[in-house]
Amino acid sequence: MTDSSTNMRLKLPVVCFILEIILIILFGALVEYDYETDARKWHNKTHSEYDNDFYYRYPSFQDVHVMIFIGFGFLMTFLQRYGFSSVGFNFLIAAFALQWATLMQGFFHGMHHGKIHVGVESMINADFCTGSVLISFGAVLGKTSPVQLLIMAIFEVTLFAVNEFVLLTILGVKDAGGSMTIHTFGAYFGLMVTRVLYRPNLDKSKSRNCSVYHSDLFAMIGTIYLWMFWPSFNSAVTAHGDDQHRTAMNTYYSLAACTLASYGMSSLTAHDGKLDMVHIQNAALAGGVAVGTAGEMMLTPFGSMIVGFLAGIISVLGFKYLSPQLESKLKIQDTCGVHNLHGMPGVLGAVVGAVTAAMATFDIYGDGMDDVFPEIVKGRSASTQAGLQALGLAVTLGIALLGGALVGFVLKLPVFGAPPDTICFEDSIYWEVPGEEEDHEAQLTDVRPEEARKLNA
């Protein structure tokens, strides 16, 4: 199915090689080990080897890394003829984005004598940034070339770092699990990109824009991995001790409540009461998104459950009723429904974070206030902190929407090898697919009457 416009023989190698060579040069000039990674600096002082941050952070990093490469990758394998691309392009853009994010986050979060210091925490933060890019990938899934995805990642990682710097450093916003910086930003950035890349004749590929039994089962693997490791994701970079413990616990209960709400709403919104696998694959994860901002705060277990419960309901309703309206009225073709899993739950999480911050007092936090809200300890009022949390949401939406629109226009350039409307959601455009394509399609569609009777018997 590949023609001259979608042939990647020169385009993809040129982009991959040039980008990696540039990254290697920049790393050589700017990046060095941090204090806890450098042999000479670490052994220059007396301390236990087990005081190294590696032993505290690396287990969380492993969990986050699994979420990025397996969780997100397999979650997007629901399309019947796009499994290679879902996992494979996820792998490609994640490998690039984590390198570029190391540089961009280093630039914006402080250079040390002209150098960017890297350690296990910078690896986690780079994965967080990569997660935001992969969320946007979900919005354009099946409609873009690998070159377009790499170009999108270049711009999105840069804007992510800018937004993160404004929120965390300038405004002093708290967002440990990234409800705003990761999920809201990635979702609305991706939605604007897919809006600009609107395809009026995408119905010509509607036969591929659907799942089959085994593809939904593969996608459920991604859901389970994400669900299991989300407490690590939200707590990965919080302060050691009670903060990390509390964040993991709040996420744990929010996910559990969200799952029951998702199952209930999925059945309730179906006229025959049957569960929809799309709802279960996605909405059951919304609780992890919605508790991201307030996870390290004193949200309480029952508060976390309320947040997760609401997130599950909102997410299912979004898939059932809002997504069709976004496509028909606003021309937003959101392949994976990132608005329902990451967008709306991310906004909910930001609101919950602002409300929880407004209720922060020293009676509740005690000496722990310095870890959770250091600016309040310095004299900022809780109401001011809440207002800045809300402002952080507005800034995130502004940068994401404007940035997504601009990047969308860049990606519209015809040189990037996007697939035509007639063959979107198809692996064989960019991949060697085992077997003859025509034979495979015949197997899917040509069922003899006697076989049909046997299957229906």
Side-chain angles (χ1 to χ4, degrees):
M1 287 188 176
T2 301
D3 59 27
S4 58
S5 65
T6 57
N7 192 310
M8 291 286 114
R9 187 176 183 185
L10 291 178
K11 296 172 184 175
L12 186 58
V14 166
V15 172
C16 286
F17 292 157
I18 289 177
L19 287 178
E20 191 56 42
I21 290 169
I22 291 173
L23 286 169
I24 290 170
I25 294 171
L26 290 174
F27 266 70
L30 297 171
V31 178
E32 65 181 21
Y33 296 130
D34 68 6
Y35 164 75
E36 298 190 66
T37 316
D38 186 275
R40 181 176 59 84
K41 294 176 181 177
W42 176 251
H43 289 279
N44 197 35
K45 294 183 179 180
T46 302
H47 44 59
S48 169
E49 296 293 343
Y50 294 102
D51 290 337
N52 195 294
D53 204 34
F54 175 87
Y55 295 99
Y56 296 97
R57 299 289 188 195
Y58 192 74
S60 294
F61 166 74
Q62 286 180 305
D63 293 350
V64 172
H65 220 45
V66 168
M67 291 178 69
I68 295 300
F69 286 92
I70 297 180
F72 279 104
F74 275 89
L75 181 64
M76 291 184 278
T77 59
F78 66 94
L79 293 171
Q80 59 175 323
R81 294 289 298 160
Y82 210 67
F84 283 14
S85 300
S86 297
V87 176
F89 293 161
N90 185 93
F91 193 9
L92 171 65
I93 59 179
F96 166 71
L98 67 87
Q99 298 175 79
W100 185 233
T102 300
L103 294 171
M104 289 296 99
Q105 290 175 317
F107 290 146
F108 285 102
H109 291 288
M111 305 278 283
H112 301 271
H113 306 292
K115 297 290 185 178
I116 297 170
H117 287 187
V118 294
V120 67
E121 189 166 339
S122 69
M123 291 162 63
I124 295 172
N125 283 321
D127 271 10
F128 282 170
C129 180
T130 299
S132 191
V133 178
L134 297 180
I135 292 167
S136 300
F137 172 40
V140 299
L141 186 72
K143 302 168 292 186
T144 45
S145 72
V147 173
Q148 283 179 302
L149 294 172
L150 287 170
I151 300 301
M152 183 181 79
I154 294 172
F155 289 103
E156 184 170 2
V157 166
T158 305
L159 292 172
F160 177 96
V162 172
N163 183 63
E164 188 179 51
F165 174 74
V166 171
L167 264 64
L168 305 186
T169 304
I170 296 179
L171 299 180
V173 167
K174 301 298 291 185
D175 191 31
S179 292
M180 289 183 282
T181 55
I182 300 171
H183 301 286
T184 301
F185 181 85
Y188 288 100
F189 184 95
L191 290 171
M192 280 304 297
V193 170
T194 196
R195 174 61 186 88
V196 175
L197 297 179
Y198 173 71
R199 292 171 173 267
N201 298 313
L202 192 62
D203 280 350
K204 294 180 179 179
S205 293
K206 66 180 179 180
S207 62
R208 299 181 187 89
N209 188 14
C210 59
S211 64
V212 291
Y213 190 86
H214 70 269
S215 66
D216 267 335
L217 190 60
F218 271 109
M220 197 63 189
I221 294 173
T223 298
I224 296 299
Y225 268 100
L226 291 168
W227 200 95
M228 289 170 57
F229 292 131
W230 216 296
S232 295
F233 186 95
N234 282 353
S235 64
V237 294
T238 52
H240 298 313
D242 65 286
D243 303 74
Q244 202 163 35
H245 194 169
R246 183 170 58 251
T247 308
M249 182 174 291
N250 285 338
T251 307
Y252 174 84
Y253 287 119
S254 182
L255 284 166
C258 179
T259 301
L260 267 71
S262 300
Y263 273 82
M265 284 302 297
S266 182
S267 179
L268 182 64
T269 55
H271 71 276
D272 55 2
K274 291 184 178 180
L275 297 169
D276 188 332
M277 185 57 89
V278 173
H279 300 161
I280 307 308
Q281 289 164 355
N282 294 277
L285 300 170
V289 176
V291 81
T293 297
E296 67 176 325
M297 303 175 192
M298 292 290 285
L299 186 58
T300 73
F302 90 91
S304 303
M305 294 166 75
I306 294 172
V307 173
F309 186 79
L310 292 175
I313 292 173
I314 291 170
S315 185
V316 171
L317 292 176
F319 276 104
K320 185 70 177 180
Y321 302 110
L322 187 55
S323 288
Q325 294 299 314
L326 290 178
E327 182 165 354
S328 63
K329 305 296 185 184
L330 300 181
K331 299 181 179 180
I332 296 175
Q333 297 161 326
D334 181 7
T335 307
C336 288
V338 300
H339 186 239
N340 310 309
L341 171 54
H342 301 280
M344 292 190 296
V347 171
L348 173 63
V351 172
V352 171
V355 173
T356 309
M359 300 170 64
T361 66
F362 283 95
D363 288 338
I364 296 174
Y365 288 86
D367 292 338
M369 183 72 84
D370 193 39
D371 284 340
V372 183
F373 294 113
E375 295 300 324
I376 292 181
V377 173
K378 296 175 184 178
R380 177 184 290 178
S381 68
S383 59
T384 300
Q385 180 68 41
L388 290 172
Q389 294 284 144
L391 178 60
L393 174 60
V395 170
T396 297
L397 289 171
I399 294 177
L401 294 172
L402 179 60
L406 294 175
V407 173
F409 284 111
V410 173
L411 299 183
K412 289 190 77 169
L413 296 175
V415 298
F416 297 131
D421 290 355
T422 53
I423 49 173
C424 289
F425 316 112
E426 174 58 56
D427 272 336
S428 62
I429 306 173
Y430 303 115
W431 296 86
E432 289 285 350
V433 178
E436 289 294 328
E437 186 63 23
E438 292 78 14
D439 291 346
H440 179 83
E441 290 180 354
Q443 291 172 8
L444 291 177
T445 60
D446 185 20
V447 180
R448 293 192 297 273
E450 61 269 26
E451 292 175 329
R453 284 196 295 270
K454 290 178 181 179
L455 291 172
N456 293 326

